[in-house]
């Protein structure tokens, strides 16, 4: 090997190795930055627990419903778990694009061989050959079925063969190759179909995230309003116990003056104890529901790690009775429900698969054209063969080298062209036909699946409207029952004061009022909750609560 070339090649290899090696803690320049650094995807992290910063330990946290929803988006484990799916789907796009990534190559080979000869015409009794090969290449395939390739090859050849006229000899070649699929894959290569499907899958995963987040939001709303009900129920139970205590005090006073029997005092004491038990159950129910709400809106392992007390502050505002016609709500749901959008995207994917399968039914016809230039250079040995071909003396040495070869290469004096076709026809093409038939069936199934989803959505919208109407009717009936129970209690209290009613009658009237007030609060909360269920059924949860899908996906996203 030429001593001038060895150091140059070594330096080239060393520079490539250094430039390709990532340095820890340093920024990697150029194309290698993309290769080594972009392969690491973003990660989803919970980040700080926002709930812990909103109230002092042991303090009261006034919490609106919208704040509870935003906390759930930030810290809920289920929401953060679902954020990973779109990340995986996005990486699949890059994976499918890899089929069209350009490829660069560099090969280097040094080979030395000494071999005996079998003929005096081989140029000596033994021949030593030293070959140095190096080649560069760049290839890029395109989504329209075309391909482009550039190759640059060269070698340095040194031999002891007496008949060799160039020692060492430098061969250089430069070639440009263009390929195009003319039938199968023309206009759209197979990998391009996969990229389109991968892009649709990203949207499908985002819609799945929206569906899961909608469920979490609905659960957070359910726990929030259940906490509201539990708080109101505690107030009702407290008022009921206060009324029972008032009767007990009144009966004790009457017993002292002899206008009441001991039995009435005992009845009043038993009623106070019963209502205290009801109040205690309501208080512990409030604590349980608060734990459930803390679980929904935070990342605490134990909800009691939050030592404060959540106090719902959103007013009980009843939904309007107008604007609940089925047809416009169902049409809105068809346009906004994640399940319907997923079904439509699935149909689109099946159509892409069918288009790809139909393309595979075609025979394969590829066109390839190339243009090539060559060069040759080296030190030419001029021998005198007048005394015979064996041991012919060297009479002149014409210096030359790699530069001569390159000048010939780029002078275009020595060039060539190629044009060719590759035609392949499967005899029966059973695999492609089966794939095409399967794609047709899958498309039909996707169409049927969408109709099934729309039917389910229609039922959910209809059911939510029914629940809304039912709870509104329940509320009207409960309000009427409260008015009647309050009037009855007032009447029984007046009769009791004048001795015309018994303690039992007054206690029953109080119980009826307490029960009616609890039913009224329950009907109000259920009406608000059924309105949230209607939002979910129509796909209006995100816009109603000003939730942006892209921002929700990007939340807690870090590198």
């Amino acid at each position: 090997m030429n001593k001038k070339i060895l150091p140059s090649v070594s330096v080239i290899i060393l520079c490539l190795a250094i430039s390709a090696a990532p340095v820890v803690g340093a920024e990697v320049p150029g194309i290698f930055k993309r290769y080594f650094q972009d392969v690491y995807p973003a990660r989803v992290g919970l980040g700080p627990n926002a709930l812990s910063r909103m109230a002092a330990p042991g303090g009261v946290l006034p919490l609106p419903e919208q704040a509870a929803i935003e906390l759930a988006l930030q810290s809920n484990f289920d929401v953060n778990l679902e954020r990973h799916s779109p990340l995986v789907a996005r990486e699949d796009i890059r994976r499918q694009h890899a089929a069209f990534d350009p490829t660069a190559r560099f090969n280097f080979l040094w080979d030395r061989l000494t071999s005996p000869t079998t003929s005096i015409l081989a140029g000596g009794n033994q021949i030593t050959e030293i070959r140095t090969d190096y080649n560069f290449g760049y290839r890029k395939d395109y989504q329209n079925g075309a391909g482009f390739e550039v190759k640059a090859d060269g070698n340095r050849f040194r031999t002891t063969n007496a008949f060799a006229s160039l020692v060492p000899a430098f061969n250089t070649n430069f070639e440009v190759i263009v390929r195009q699929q003319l039938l199968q894959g023309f206009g759209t290569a197979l990998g391009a179909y996969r990229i389109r499907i991968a892009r649709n899958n990203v949207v499908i995963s985002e819609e799945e995230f929206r569906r899961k987040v909608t469920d979490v939001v609905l659960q957070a709303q359910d726990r929030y309003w259940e906490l509201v009900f539990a708080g109101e129920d505690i107030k009702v139970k407290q008022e009921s116990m206060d009324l029972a205590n008032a009767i007990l005090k009144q009966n004790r006073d009457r017993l002292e003056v002899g206008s009441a029997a001991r039995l009435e005092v005992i009845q009043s004491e038993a009623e106070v104890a019963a209502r205290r038990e009801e109040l205690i159950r309501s208080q512990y129910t409030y604590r349980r529901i608060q734990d459930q709400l803390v679980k929904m809106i935070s990342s605490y392992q134990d909800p009691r790690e939050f030592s404060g007390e959540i106090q719902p502050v959103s007013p009980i505002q009843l939904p309007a009775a107008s604007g609940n016609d089925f047809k416009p709500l169902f049409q809105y749901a068809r346009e906004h429900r994640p399940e319907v959008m997923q079904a439509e995207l699935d149909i689109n994917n099946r159509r892409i698969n069918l288009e790809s399968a139909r393309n595979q039914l075609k025979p394969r016809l590829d066109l390839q054209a190339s243009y090539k230039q060559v060069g040759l250079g080296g030190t030419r040995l001029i021998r005198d063969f007048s005394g015979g071909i064996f041991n012919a003396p060297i009479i002149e040495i014409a210096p030359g080298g790699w530069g001569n070869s390159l000048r010939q290469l780029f002078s275009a004096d020595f060039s060539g062209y190629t044009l060719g076709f590759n035609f392949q026809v499967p005899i029966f093409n059973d695999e492609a036909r089966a794939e095409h038939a399967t794609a047709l069936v899958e498309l039909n199934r996707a169409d049927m699946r969408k109709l099934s989803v729309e039917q389910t959505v229609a039922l959910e919208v209809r059911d939510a409207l029914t629940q809304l109407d039912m709870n509104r009717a329940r509320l009207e009936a409960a309000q009427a029952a409260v008015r009647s129970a309050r009037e009855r209690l007032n009447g029984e209290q007046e009769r009791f004061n004048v001795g015309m009613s018994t303690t039992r009658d007054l206690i029953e009237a109080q119980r009826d009022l307490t029960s009616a007030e609890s039913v009224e609060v329950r009907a109000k909360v259920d009406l608000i909750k059924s309105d949230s269920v209607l939002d979910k059924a129509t796909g209006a949860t995100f816009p109603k609560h000003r939730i942006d899908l892209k921002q929700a996906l990007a939340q807690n996203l870090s590198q």
Side-chain angles (χ1 to χ4, degrees), residues 410-427:
F410 293 108
S411 67
D413 292 337
F414 304 95
S415 60
Y417 307 87
T418 62
L419 180 65
F421 294 92
N422 176 28
F423 185 63
Q424 300 179 22
V425 182
I427 302 301

Side-chain angles (χ1 to χ4, degrees), residues 142-146 180-190 193 355 359-360 362-366:
Y142 298 91
Q143 297 184 27
N144 61 1
Q180 176 63 59
Q181 300 175 11
L182 299 180
L183 292 178
Q184 184 184 117
F186 179 75
T188 307
L190 181 60
Y193 292 113
E355 183 182 345
N359 194 6
Q360 297 302 309
K362 301 175 183 178
R364 186 175 184 88
L365 176 61
D366 296 341

Side-chain angles (χ1 to χ4, degrees), residues 153-275:
D153 304 324
N155 67 73
R156 177 182 183 275
F157 182 70
R158 183 178 180 85
T159 180
T160 58
N161 191 320
F163 299 119
S165 59
L166 289 180
V167 181
F170 295 88
N171 291 279
T172 51
N173 303 278
F174 177 79
E175 185 175 11
V176 178
I177 303 172
V178 179
R179 304 180 182 88
Q180 176 63 59
Q181 300 175 11
L182 299 180
L183 292 178
Q184 184 184 117
F186 179 75
T188 307
L190 181 60
Y193 292 113
R194 294 172 179 167
I195 292 174
R196 290 165 57 188
I197 291 175
R199 288 173 178 165
N200 284 340
N201 287 339
V202 170
V203 183
I204 289 175
S205 64
E206 290 176 349
E207 291 301 320
E208 180 66 12
F209 171 78
R210 185 157 70 97
R211 186 184 71 82
K212 294 291 182 64
V213 170
T214 300
D215 290 341
V216 171
V217 169
L218 186 64
Q219 293 172 25
Q221 289 177 294
D222 179 83
R223 293 298 88 193
Y224 183 89
W225 289 109
E226 283 298 319
L227 192 64
V228 171
F229 169 76
E232 294 297 321
D233 192 55
I234 288 175
K235 294 178 182 179
V236 171
K237 296 297 193 302
Q238 184 65 55
E239 292 175 359
S240 175
M241 196 176 78
D242 292 342
L243 290 174
N245 281 321
I247 295 176
L248 176 60
K249 182 179 183 303
Q250 194 173 4
N251 282 335
R252 284 174 176 171
D253 293 340
R254 291 174 60 212
L255 179 62
E256 289 179 1
V257 298
S259 62
R262 176 66 181 168
L263 179 60
E264 291 183 280
V265 176
I266 294 175
Q267 287 177 341
S268 299
E269 290 175 344
E271 187 62 22
V272 169
R275 295 185 187 184

